[in-house]
Amino acid sequence: MENEIEIIDFILKNNAEAILEKLDDIHPVDFLEALSSYHGEAVEVLEKLPDDYIALLIDEAEDDEKYGLLSLFSQNRKNNIISEMSSDELVDLLRNIDEDEKESIILKMDKEDAKEVKELLEYDPDSAGGIMATEFLSVKDNMTVDEVIKFLRDNAPDSETPYYIYVLDDYDVLKGVVPLRDIVISDAQTIVKDIMIEKVITVPVQMDQEDVGNIFDKYGFMAVPVTDDFGVMLGIITIDDIVEILKDEHTEDLYRLAGLDESEKISGSVKSSIKSRLPWLIVNLGTAILAAATVSLFENTIEKIVALATFMPIVAGMGGNAGTQTLTMIIRGIALGELNFENEKEVLKKEILVGLVNGTCLGIIVATLGLLWVGNPVFGLVIGIAMFLNLVIATIAGYFVPLILKKINVDPALASGVFVTTVTDVLGFFFFLGLATLMINFLI
Amino acid sequence: MENEIEIIDFILKNNAEAILEKLDDIHPVDFLEALSSYHGEAVEVLEKLPDDYIALLIDEAEDDEKYGLLSLFSQNRKNNIISEMSSDELVDLLRNIDEDEKESIILKMDKEDAKEVKELLEYDPDSAGGIMATEFLSVKDNMTVDEVIKFLRDNAPDSETPYYIYVLDDYDVLKGVVPLRDIVISDAQTIVKDIMIEKVITVPVQMDQEDVGNIFDKYGFMAVPVTDDFGVMLGIITIDDIVEILKDEHTEDLYRLAGLDESEKISGSVKSSIKSRLPWLIVNLGTAILAAATVSLFENTIEKIVALATFMPIVAGMGGNAGTQTLTMIIRGIALGELNFENEKEVLKKEILVGLVNGTCLGIIVATLGLLWVGNPVFGLVIGIAMFLNLVIATIAGYFVPLILKKINVDPALASGVFVTTVTDVLGFFFFLGLATLMINFLI
């Protein structure tokens, strides 16, 4: 294996033919890495590469770097490179540049491609339509295997996934699919109709990308056709895109739960990190002030029994932990499609029971702790009951908050945490300090 | 599309030949769903299916259901079904049953298969060796395309991934790979050596499955060969397995961060949920008690200035939020391989700067708030400084805790949260109440 410097060196020193042969063995991802550690002018290296390899490099580059690569070239080469790119990757590039640049690129494309790209740009970027590619192999059901192979020889290199061949009727309605391996192992005179799989699982063009990911996970497909309401095949989604989407959705979930902007990068700038985190901290400050205001209602009681201040963080904190457990379960259940109309009630019943049992166990533990620490059984009772109530409320809030957010179309991962901890903080303090106020005569 | 009852009904009422044709159009996943909503005896339906389809059903079933399906059959049919299963799925099944049952299944397998399965069972279940399948298509580099196609006609249906054909030498060392589509579009007399890709990206058999997932994500492969230290090809990992692994790793990360056992299921029993959550709540109770003990050191101060109790939750809570932001960033960076020796110091510098800036902003906000609420500028100063210090500590803890856990081989997602919030709670209270105690003469 060569190291990165050698790759770049080879390109600079050799002619087109030698480069072409060399590139067969260099994955575009590795080439991009080599290029990023090269200190000279990138354009001098890139200009020696063929158009189709540059299209591959742009395909593999990060979304926000794609246009930078393309704009290194003359207008003429730009057009050639764009015509080599797959439609879904071109759309990703166009989504990341400003309107004027987008228009000028589309204007220079040939008419049919331009129309296709414009249509793709209309779809929600997070929907099946927004991630599909329009390049796929389609044949008619009366063709023979031999005819299909001839067709593949003429067309395959342009298509994104050559593992399935789709069978369409005259109106482009999807009739069936033939895996490439069945083409290889069938006799030349076999008719497509006889070997195609007729019941094809498809995804509707509006489907959310996370649900598309769940279908890939469920069935283990390599690619899935995308159809409109009439069964007309519009494009395909391949599993390599799904792996990237799953990774991004995962990062987004984790980040949103923690109050980070999903665009924050670990090696990003200080400024972008502050922009990602400070607003969320200020939102949380708001909820912390609500909790503080609750405590301030009971300052008189705390003045008389200062041990309450010591135990305050326990009740509120444990409620927050229990609420987070439930809401994480629910958010994941929603994302994986495991929580649905059929089991919603069952799950609620289970969560309440779990809250009751965990609340009872922890209530007894902290009641004992309170009794031993302060030496007053009523103190133990007050903190035990407050803990019990807060844990039950925590599981109920952890259940309802994400579901309600989902119903009003807010991402549950984004806002559930702050709502649930507000509930558990405010009510935790309220139960504990309120009960103590009621029982104050037994506590002094 | 038929509904689920119709599928089962059809199987029960028809003969083997009609069933065979029907099954072509029913994905095993859908069959399993139909079976799970059928109220009669599953075995009566299953017995009418061919061995290879039952093997597919077991492949697609959840790990803990695989053996239940298999054990419905007679010993003889069991053996036939097992011989139809792919090696990686068989290993998954064997990992989920007890030693005696495992031994008895392996004893009844043919010698070569038994040896292979035993070897696979030796690998760490979360490593490349633990998830690879040993069925792949291999040819020699001097074969012609025509010979390869003949070979495929004889062997393809048994292989897990027929999209790539691997080229091995006489010692099984991997020499190259030919995508199936290149076989289809090449002339019959072309020699494999002339069309194979020579620089194949492989994964070592010991590699952790999460790192394998990152390689799939990086390169967009459909399958990757697994090799030993001598370059001998041992098996392949296909992308559909990776999608499942990524989903499971994601669930594991989210659950561990929230203090849930990764085996907890949303529709599981109350008992299993309590077993998953209560231990974690008790661990957190321990840290809450530590925080409470810190507060109790300052009960004298709180007794004199009860407004401290009101502001306590703000300082500790905000520290927790800021610490969670950093640790989530670091945990994700570790998982994706984006945090490494090269940028570790850069990232630390950035996190400290972010802590300083966010700490200053929030310090000023709460200082103003404290001043207005309590009407004493020293009170504002005390809470402002405590907030600033706690936010800086929080980012530093959020950086180091996951990295240290990783270095001592504890999953950072599992324990980072509890350590970081212990630090931010204890130090938050300590800074705030400690400063107040030092400045007590200016506060009363």
Side-chain angles (χ1 to χ4, degrees):
Chain A
M1 299 274 152
E2 265 116 333
N3 66 33
E4 296 175 343
I5 298 164
E6 281 170 18
I7 293 178
I8 302 295
D9 221 44
F10 185 94
I11 302 294
L12 288 171
K13 286 190 184 139
N14 282 273
N15 63 13
E17 202 183 337
I19 290 173
L20 209 60
E21 199 178 318
K22 183 81 174 175
L23 288 178
D24 263 355
D25 279 338
I26 305 174
H27 195 287
V29 168
D30 293 326
F31 195 96
L32 283 175
E33 276 187 4
L35 198 64
S36 74
S37 57
Y38 172 65
H39 298 295
E41 286 293 324
V43 67
E44 282 170 22
V45 184
L46 291 169
E47 270 186 341
K48 298 194 75 176
L49 307 179
D51 294 334
D52 57 346
Y53 198 81
I54 293 168
L56 288 177
L57 290 179
I58 295 176
D59 277 6
E60 297 287 356
E62 296 290 320
D63 279 356
D64 51 0
E65 292 166 357
K66 288 181 198 294
Y67 186 64
L69 277 173
L70 184 65
S71 44
L72 293 174
F73 296 94
S74 68
Q75 191 56 55
N76 199 19
R77 279 208 75 184
K78 259 188 212 170
N79 295 346
N80 294 338
I81 293 165
I82 286 174
S83 72
E84 295 281 347
M85 287 178 68
S86 64
S87 58
D88 55 339
E89 299 287 351
L90 180 56
V91 166
D92 284 345
L93 182 150
L94 293 175
R95 282 217 177 91
N96 280 280
I97 60 179
D98 63 38
E99 279 301 315
D100 291 352
E101 285 164 336
K102 192 159 81 183
E103 281 306 308
S104 97
I105 287 178
I106 292 175
L107 271 176
K108 274 155 205 141
M109 290 171 65
D110 76 56
K111 246 185 179 169
E112 209 173 316
D113 287 351
K115 185 167 161 270
E116 203 170 87
V117 160
K118 274 191 205 156
E119 276 170 18
L120 283 174
L121 282 168
E122 296 285 312
Y123 295 113
D124 176 353
D126 293 337
S127 70
I131 57 176
M132 72 185 182
T134 49
E135 294 85 3
F136 54 88
L137 297 165
S138 69
V139 296
K140 299 273 172 257
D141 65 2
N142 57 3
M143 285 167 79
T144 63
V145 162
D146 208 35
E147 286 168 333
V148 172
I149 291 177
K150 281 205 188 84
F151 169 77
L152 289 179
R153 286 197 181 144
D154 297 339
N155 291 281
D158 276 357
S159 268
E160 188 161 64
T161 177
Y163 305 109
Y164 298 106
I165 296 141
Y166 298 95
V167 187
L168 304 188
D169 70 8
D170 293 341
Y171 304 98
D172 287 346
V173 171
L174 182 64
K175 287 293 161 199
V177 61
V178 188
L180 185 60
R181 66 158 180 191
D182 292 350
I183 295 293
V184 177
I185 62 177
S186 297
D187 280 337
Q189 292 316 309
T190 312
I191 305 291
V192 164
K193 197 175 171 38
D194 294 335
I195 52 169
M196 75 182 185
I197 299 164
E198 285 178 42
K199 293 222 168 147
V200 188
I201 294 164
T202 62
V203 302
V205 69
Q206 319 85 335
M207 186 181 258
D208 184 77
Q209 63 177 7
E210 201 162 3
D211 296 327
V212 176
N214 290 338
I215 287 189
F216 272 89
D217 171 46
K218 181 173 172 187
Y219 292 104
F221 292 137
M222 295 287 161
V224 157
V226 179
T227 55
D228 69 10
D229 296 342
F230 306 102
V232 171
M233 183 161 169
L234 303 173
I236 54 165
I237 298 172
T238 47
I239 193 169
D240 52 321
D241 298 324
I242 292 298
V243 168
E244 217 175 312
I245 286 165
L246 286 176
K247 195 194 71 173
D248 291 347
E249 294 268 341
H250 180 179
T251 303
E252 189 184 287
D253 278 359
L254 275 175
Y255 279 17
R256 288 187 167 179
L257 278 169
L260 295 163
D261 192 282
E262 63 260 35
S263 67
E264 185 173 345
K265 295 217 169 64
I266 193 153
S267 48
S269 71
V270 175
K271 199 177 143 193
S272 69
S273 289
I274 292 167
K275 239 175 85 182
S276 147
R277 301 185 203 177
L278 191 56
W280 183 252
L281 290 175
I282 290 174
V283 170
N284 273 280
L285 182 61
T287 83
I289 291 172
L290 263 179
T294 312
V295 175
S296 76
L297 297 175
F298 301 97
E299 284 190 354
N300 281 336
T301 311
I302 297 171
E303 207 160 12
K304 287 175 197 139
I305 312 140
V306 77
L308 292 173
T310 295
F311 279 83
M312 268 169 40
I314 299 184
V315 179
M318 296 305 291
N321 290 327
T324 303
Q325 289 182 329
T326 303
L327 79 87
T328 301
M329 199 84 221
I330 300 298
I331 286 173
R332 192 69 183 136
I334 294 173
L336 294 180
E338 288 174 357
L339 186 68
N340 46 45
F341 280 115
E342 286 163 43
N343 64 3
E344 260 185 16
K345 276 191 189 160
E346 280 298 305
V347 173
L348 174 60
K349 235 196 292 181
K350 187 197 72 172
E351 286 300 328
I352 293 177
L353 277 170
V354 171
L356 289 171
V357 175
N358 285 349
T360 307
C361 294
L362 288 167
I364 292 172
I365 296 175
V366 294
T368 316
L369 186 75
L371 166 65
L372 295 175
W373 194 316
V374 181
N376 180 337
V378 178
F379 190 94
L381 200 68
V382 165
I383 190 167
I385 293 174
M387 178 68 96
F388 170 78
L389 290 175
N390 205 25
L391 253 71
V392 176
I393 293 287
T395 34
I396 294 174
Y399 176 87
F400 279 108
V401 168
L403 282 176
I404 291 169
L405 289 172
K406 173 82 185 165
K407 265 165 203 164
I408 58 171
N409 281 321
V410 176
D411 179 358
L414 182 64
S416 292
V418 70
F419 280 113
V420 171
T421 47
T422 304
V423 170
T424 54
D425 276 1
V426 169
L427 290 184
F429 292 135
F430 184 79
F431 290 140
F432 180 46
L433 300 175
L435 275 171
T437 308
L438 284 177
M439 311 287 268
I440 190 121
N441 292 332
F442 304 96
L443 290 171
I444 301 178
Chain B
M1 298 274 152
E2 262 114 334
N3 67 32
E4 296 175 343
I5 298 166
E6 281 170 18
I7 294 178
I8 302 295
D9 219 45
F10 185 94
I11 303 295
L12 288 170
K13 287 192 184 136
N14 283 272
N15 63 13
E17 202 183 334
I19 291 172
L20 209 60
E21 200 179 316
K22 183 81 175 177
L23 288 178
D24 263 355
D25 279 338
I26 305 175
H27 195 286
V29 169
D30 292 326
F31 195 96
L32 283 174
E33 277 188 4
L35 198 64
S36 74
S37 57
Y38 172 65
H39 297 295
E41 286 293 324
V43 66
E44 283 170 22
V45 184
L46 291 169
E47 269 184 343
K48 299 195 74 176
L49 306 178
D51 295 334
D52 58 345
Y53 198 80
I54 293 168
L56 289 177
L57 290 179
I58 295 176
D59 276 7
E60 296 287 356
E62 295 290 320
D63 280 355
D64 51 359
E65 292 166 358
K66 290 181 197 292
Y67 187 64
L69 276 174
L70 184 65
S71 43
L72 292 173
F73 297 93
S74 67
Q75 191 56 55
N76 199 18
R77 279 209 72 184
K78 259 187 211 168
N79 296 348
N80 294 338
I81 294 165
I82 286 172
S83 72
E84 295 281 348
M85 286 177 68
S86 65
S87 58
D88 55 339
E89 300 288 349
L90 181 56
V91 165
D92 285 345
L93 183 152
L94 294 173
R95 283 218 175 92
N96 281 280
I97 59 179
D98 64 36
E99 279 302 315
D100 291 352
E101 286 163 335
K102 192 159 83 186
E103 281 307 310
S104 96
I105 286 178
I106 292 174
L107 271 176
K108 273 154 207 143
M109 291 170 66
D110 77 55
K111 246 185 178 167
E112 209 173 315
D113 288 352
K115 185 168 162 269
E116 202 170 87
V117 160
K118 274 191 205 155
E119 277 172 15
L120 283 176
L121 282 168
E122 296 285 313
Y123 296 112
D124 177 349
D126 294 335
S127 71
I131 56 175
M132 72 184 180
T134 51
E135 294 85 1
F136 55 87
L137 297 165
S138 69
V139 297
K140 298 276 172 252
D141 65 1
N142 57 3
M143 284 167 77
T144 63
V145 163
D146 208 35
E147 286 168 333
V148 173
I149 291 177
K150 281 204 190 83
F151 169 78
L152 289 180
R153 288 199 179 140
D154 297 340
N155 291 282
D158 275 358
S159 268
E160 188 161 61
T161 178
Y163 306 108
Y164 297 107
I165 296 142
Y166 298 94
V167 186
L168 304 187
D169 71 9
D170 293 341
Y171 305 97
D172 288 345
V173 171
L174 181 64
K175 287 293 164 201
V177 61
V178 188
L180 184 59
R181 67 159 180 189
D182 291 350
I183 295 293
V184 177
I185 63 176
S186 297
D187 280 336
Q189 291 316 310
T190 312
I191 305 291
V192 164
K193 198 175 171 33
D194 295 335
I195 52 170
M196 75 184 187
I197 299 164
E198 284 178 43
K199 294 222 167 146
V200 187
I201 293 163
T202 63
V203 302
V205 69
Q206 321 84 332
M207 186 182 259
D208 183 78
Q209 62 177 6
E210 201 163 1
D211 296 327
V212 176
N214 290 339
I215 286 188
F216 272 89
D217 172 45
K218 181 174 170 188
Y219 292 105
F221 292 137
M222 295 286 163
V224 157
V226 180
T227 54
D228 69 10
D229 296 342
F230 306 101
V232 171
M233 182 161 169
L234 303 173
I236 53 164
I237 299 173
T238 46
I239 194 169
D240 52 321
D241 297 326
I242 292 298
V243 168
E244 217 175 311
I245 286 165
L246 286 177
K247 194 194 72 172
D248 291 348
E249 294 267 342
H250 180 180
T251 303
E252 190 183 286
D253 278 357
L254 275 176
Y255 279 18
R256 287 187 167 179
L257 278 169
L260 294 163
D261 192 282
E262 63 260 34
S263 66
E264 185 174 345
K265 294 215 169 68
I266 192 153
S267 48
S269 70
V270 175
K271 202 177 141 192
S272 69
S273 288
I274 292 166
K275 241 175 84 180
S276 146
R277 302 187 204 176
L278 192 55
W280 183 251
L281 289 175
I282 290 173
V283 169
N284 273 280
L285 182 60
T287 83
I289 291 171
L290 262 180
T294 311
V295 176
S296 77
L297 297 176
F298 299 99
E299 284 190 356
N300 282 336
T301 311
I302 297 171
E303 207 160 11
K304 286 175 200 139
I305 312 140
V306 76
L308 292 172
T310 295
F311 280 83
M312 268 169 41
I314 298 184
V315 179
M318 295 305 293
N321 289 328
T324 303
Q325 288 182 329
T326 303
L327 79 87
T328 302
M329 199 85 222
I330 301 298
I331 286 173
R332 192 69 185 137
I334 294 173
L336 294 180
E338 288 174 356
L339 185 70
N340 47 45
F341 280 115
E342 286 164 44
N343 63 4
E344 261 184 16
K345 276 191 189 160
E346 280 298 306
V347 173
L348 174 60
K349 233 195 293 179
K350 186 195 73 169
E351 287 300 327
I352 293 176
L353 276 171
V354 172
L356 288 171
V357 175
N358 285 348
T360 306
C361 293
L362 288 167
I364 291 172
I365 296 175
V366 295
T368 316
L369 186 76
L371 166 65
L372 295 176
W373 195 317
V374 181
N376 181 334
V378 179
F379 189 92
L381 199 68
V382 165
I383 189 165
I385 293 173
M387 178 67 97
F388 170 79
L389 290 175
N390 204 24
L391 252 71
V392 175
I393 294 287
T395 34
I396 295 174
Y399 176 87
F400 280 108
V401 168
L403 282 175
I404 292 169
L405 289 172
K406 172 81 185 168
K407 263 163 204 165
I408 59 173
N409 279 322
V410 176
D411 179 358
L414 184 64
S416 291
V418 70
F419 280 114
V420 172
T421 47
T422 304
V423 170
T424 53
D425 276 1
V426 169
L427 290 185
F429 293 134
F430 184 79
F431 290 141
F432 181 45
L433 301 174
L435 274 172
T437 307
L438 284 178
M439 310 289 265
I440 190 123
N441 293 332
F442 303 98
L443 290 170
I444 302 178

